[in-house]
Amino acid sequence: MSSAKVTLGETGLQATIQTANHVIYADEPIDDGGTDTGPSPTEMAMGALGACIAMTMRLYAERKGWALEGVEIELSFERFSGKDYEGHAGDDRYVHEIRKAITLHGPLTDEQRNRIKEIGAKCPVHRLIATPSYFVDQAIAEDQAESESSDN
């Protein structure tokens, strides 16, 4: 299981993200009320997706013994009205379209390139975004949270 703890102070939008071994900062651009001390949460999401796809591609190519010399992925997303998005049959208010431009470097055949891209689309973050996810909220009282943090 992967996890992260996010802390937002009394003022500003800079969030401190703590994982098992790392501390990362997220913020919003100055024009959006932040201080631009880190990537925005959506930039981080796109970066996490791209990193996961690239790593999955590399691991697959190495396992196959294919000469993948590098990967470049450019990602962007746009939000559309669900009712206006062509091909969407659900009743969702919004639909997000994620665009990927992938460049694979190295002496690979077209068949190898296609297979590597196919496998990249099966990375854990891609699956997290593309398949249904359910949020389970756990209510923690403020005094309980303070007591738990002082125990650590």
Side-chain angles (χ1 to χ4, degrees):
M1 175 194 294
S2 296
S3 65
K5 179 180 179 181
V6 179
T7 307
L8 190 66
E10 289 184 32
T11 61
L13 298 175
Q14 184 191 62
T16 302
I17 304 163
Q18 185 171 351
T19 64
N21 299 313
H22 304 281
V23 175
I24 308 161
Y25 298 98
D27 202 348
E28 289 290 341
I30 293 169
D31 292 347
D32 293 336
T35 55
D36 202 23
T37 58
S40 72
T42 52
E43 290 170 333
M44 292 183 86
M46 291 295 99
L49 175 59
C52 189
I53 292 169
M55 291 174 188
T56 300
M57 291 174 163
R58 165 68 47 84
L59 290 169
Y60 181 77
E62 285 178 353
R63 194 168 72 242
K64 290 293 193 175
W66 295 346
L68 177 62
E69 295 172 354
V71 177
E72 292 177 37
I73 303 175
E74 291 186 37
L75 293 153
S76 63
F77 81 94
E78 188 172 350
R79 183 172 80 172
F80 294 93
S81 167
K83 67 179 181 343
D84 296 334
Y85 192 79
E86 186 177 330
H88 181 67
D91 60 353
D92 302 288
R93 185 172 180 185
Y94 298 109
V95 173
H96 294 93
E97 180 180 274
I98 298 173
R99 292 177 207 91
K100 301 182 291 186
I102 300 173
T103 304
L104 302 177
H105 298 282
L108 301 164
T109 67
D110 287 343
E111 185 177 313
Q112 289 170 331
R113 288 177 190 282
N114 290 336
R115 183 65 179 151
I116 290 169
K117 288 178 183 179
E118 183 181 312
I119 294 298
K122 296 179 180 184
C123 81
V125 175
H126 194 285
R127 288 180 185 206
L128 175 69
I129 293 170
T131 58
S133 296
Y134 301 94
F135 290 85
V136 178
D137 293 329
Q138 299 174 339
I140 299 176
E142 185 176 345
D143 55 344
Q144 181 184 355
E146 288 174 4
S147 141
E148 287 176 4
S149 64
S150 66
D151 290 343
N152 293 332

